[in-house]
Amino acid sequence: MPPRGNEGLDFTPILTHYLFLFTSLLAILAWFIAFIGQIIATASRGNGDVGVLWFAIFLQLALILGVLYTLASDSIAMHRFQISVFGAVVIVFAVNGVQAGIFTGIGSLDAMSVGWLILAMVDIVWVLYFTSEEDSLALHIFNSMGTGGLTPPSRRRRTRAQSVHNVTNGYGGYASGGGIGPHDVPYNGKMVSGMGSGTLASPIGMGNTALRGSKSFEPSPDAATRSLGGGSITNVPGGGGPGSSSGGDNGPSSPLMAGAGASAPQATPTDPAVAEYIYKAKALYTYTQSPDDPNEISFNKGELLDIMDTQGKWWQAKKSDGTVGIAPSNYLQII
């Protein structure tokens, strides 16, 4: 099973993206041919024929390693600019390497030029890929041989996102309660004390510090007898003192209690049931849910799934039977 998020390198995209599988093997083989050819040519004929190509051969090695790391870490959008710049520079050196050894009739120089010729072609393909935008024809042609589950070059890879099962109304910690419960802030009767005097005391032990808004309660001559909705103002259980809210109209429908302790959160666009699944994907392989992660889903080869977002290595998906969870992107293909 491929690693999740940024927990390590995953070479599956190279093996499943046939363009990079083919070009990576060619680049490694051609690099060794050019390197060995330069060694033999320098040993037998001196450094005159090779010259600056010794710098170029190690620059080419750095480019190959950089491409492999970028693919394995699914960070194309982050490194595409550097790879494109270094690739363009190496292409110039590669052409010089071909020119220095081609048609000389000397075995070592011929081998060196062949290696550089292959490297030049591979570098051109890489530069074309890493400079392509998501909707470009070049990228479409390259990905026709398989996407490998890679994030498109024009998007930043996101690490494995927090499951939407635990997020409601934008507050992940309050998803089950709809408000601040006893597990968040210990109850303090001072939260509602002092409302008759125009201040609201701090619920977290801030002493006498008061929170006053632009429409704070102003004292009035009849503040002691004023009630909310006809009920007298008394202390709530465990409350702080006069001015605490309780009485004939302090139930769930009371203006004072509205929103404080709602029993069930309302559905929002972040809920899986109402989230918008704008993509359709086909399963390339069968995948079995990991027993260590209940957020994953299992699916069979050829099964169609609805996808919410195509960024990252793990996509939020929904099966035809309504099952919602995350699925590895390199097992799916957008259709």
Side-chain angles (χ1 to χ4, degrees):
M1 188 176 67
R4 302 166 188 164
N6 56 356
E7 296 177 2
L9 300 180
D10 179 14
F11 291 93
T12 304
I14 302 176
L15 300 177
T16 56
H17 197 305
Y18 298 111
L19 170 72
F20 286 115
L21 176 62
F22 182 67
T23 54
S24 298
L25 293 177
L26 270 182
I28 295 173
L29 178 62
W31 187 87
F32 278 104
I33 294 175
F35 181 66
I36 295 173
Q38 289 183 189
I39 292 177
I40 297 175
T42 302
S44 59
R45 298 174 55 84
N47 196 42
D49 295 321
V50 179
V52 74
L53 294 177
W54 280 117
F55 168 75
I57 197 69
F58 290 105
L59 185 62
Q60 176 69 60
L61 177 62
L63 177 64
I64 295 173
L65 296 178
V67 169
L68 295 179
Y69 173 80
T70 299
L71 298 176
S73 60
D74 191 14
S75 54
I76 295 178
M78 186 179 299
H79 302 135
R80 58 185 297 213
F81 179 75
Q82 292 92 329
I83 290 178
S84 301
V85 171
F86 278 91
V89 173
V90 172
I91 289 173
V92 176
F93 283 114
V95 172
N96 288 335
V98 175
Q99 180 65 28
I102 197 86
F103 303 133
T104 58
I106 302 173
S108 59
L109 293 179
D110 286 343
M112 179 188 73
S113 63
V114 169
W116 278 113
L117 179 62
I118 298 175
L119 288 171
M121 292 187 292
V122 171
D123 293 338
I124 291 174
V125 172
W126 283 350
V127 170
L128 285 175
Y129 182 91
F130 286 105
T131 54
S132 298
E133 294 298 329
E134 184 174 353
D135 298 326
S136 66
L137 177 61
L139 186 64
H140 175 73
I141 295 175
F142 291 145
N143 285 341
S144 64
M145 293 178 282
T147 64
L150 293 170
T151 304
S154 57
R155 297 186 186 180
R156 282 295 180 105
R157 180 182 68 85
R158 298 188 306 182
T159 57
R160 187 179 184 184
Q162 181 182 4
S163 173
V164 297
H165 296 288
N166 299 325
V167 179
T168 305
N169 291 331
Y171 300 94
Y174 306 144
S176 61
I180 300 177
H183 59 283
D184 300 306
V185 180
Y187 177 80
N188 191 334
K190 294 181 180 180
M191 290 184 65
V192 292
S193 65
M195 295 180 66
S197 60
T199 61
L200 182 63
S202 169
I204 320 179
M206 295 176 61
N208 295 326
T209 303
L211 304 177
R212 183 185 296 271
S214 59
K215 295 182 179 181
S216 58
F217 294 95
E218 298 295 338
S220 60
D222 59 343
T225 60
R226 178 173 297 178
S227 63
L228 296 176
S232 60
I233 300 178
T234 60
N235 292 337
V236 297
S244 298
S245 173
S246 180
D249 195 22
N250 63 349
S253 61
S254 169
L256 183 62
M257 302 300 293
S263 60
Q266 296 181 351
T268 67
T270 56
D271 287 331
V274 297
E276 184 178 3
Y277 293 84
I278 59 178
Y279 300 99
K280 206 79 168 174
K282 180 180 180 181
L284 300 176
Y285 319 99
T286 298
Y287 181 77
T288 303
Q289 173 187 0
S290 171
D292 299 329
D293 193 343
N295 293 325
E296 295 183 10
I297 58 173
S298 302
F299 49 85
N300 298 320
K301 181 179 180 180
E303 188 173 351
L304 297 180
L305 294 88
D306 295 319
I307 304 299
M308 181 190 304
D309 192 0
T310 58
Q311 297 189 27
K313 291 186 178 182
W314 290 84
W315 295 349
Q316 186 70 29
K318 181 172 69 173
K319 299 173 63 175
S320 57
D321 61 359
T323 305
V324 177
I326 56 175
S329 59
N330 54 343
Y331 281 69
L332 304 174
Q333 182 178 18
I334 296 296
I335 57 175

